[in-house]
Amino acid sequence: MERTLIFFKPNITLNDESINALNYFKGEGIFISKYELQRYVKTFFKGFYNHVPEPNRSQHSEFCSSGPIGVAILEGEGVVEKVRKIIGGTDSSKAEPKTLRGHFYRKYKPKVGYDNFIHASATPEDAEREIKIFFGDAR
């Protein structure tokens, strides 16, 4: 059974959209083994997103630390690839409307200036590393 990690950024958790989005994953046959709200400071996200060039890393870190994030471990066969298809492309303005990023972009872009609503692990190896970062040795 493969695992992956996702987190909903503050614009989704503060609008109580996390549970609706998690139910979408459930509807696709993906098991949610853990979910909780967490908060982190800007320096945490600067480290987590160290692959993102400046000034985007600082802006992204400020945004992600501006409120609670909804962190989840999802499980299932081929779950990393399935989840990435469900959430859609990183550029939410170009994501298909039926994806979560596309849906949230169309719903919140006029009100919210930040348009990448969900983080998802890119590979199974990234998922295991990120699960340890957010949940310790969650098994």
Side-chain angles (χ1 to χ4, degrees), residues 77-88:
E77 294 301 319
V79 73
V80 170
E81 185 177 330
K82 282 182 187 176
V83 165
R84 293 191 66 80
K85 284 181 182 176
I86 290 168
I87 67 170

Side-chain angles (χ1 to χ4, degrees), residues 21-112:
L22 286 174
N23 285 333
Y24 188 83
F25 290 113
K26 284 172 138 178
E28 295 294 316
I30 295 171
F31 177 70
I32 301 158
S33 64
K34 191 164 185 98
Y35 175 77
E36 62 185 49
L37 292 177
Q38 298 180 6
R39 284 191 85 124
Y40 294 92
V41 296
K42 185 177 177 178
T43 54
F44 169 85
F45 286 108
K46 281 192 122 182
F48 186 77
Y49 285 115
N50 64 0
H51 61 283
V52 176
E54 290 292 356
N56 292 348
R57 178 178 30 211
S58 288
Q59 292 167 343
H60 198 67
S61 298
E62 176 116 12
F63 170 70
C64 287
S65 63
S66 68
I69 59 171
V71 187
I73 299 173
L74 308 179
E75 297 181 1
E77 294 301 319
V79 73
V80 170
E81 185 177 330
K82 282 182 187 176
V83 165
R84 293 191 66 80
K85 284 181 182 176
I86 290 168
I87 67 170
T90 304
D91 183 344
S92 298
S93 67
K94 296 177 183 171
E96 294 292 322
K98 290 184 179 181
T99 65
L100 286 175
R101 283 185 176 143
H103 166 75
F104 290 137
Y105 179 83
R106 283 153 187 81
K107 184 171 183 180
Y108 290 111
K109 183 61 177 173
K111 299 175 192 171
V112 178

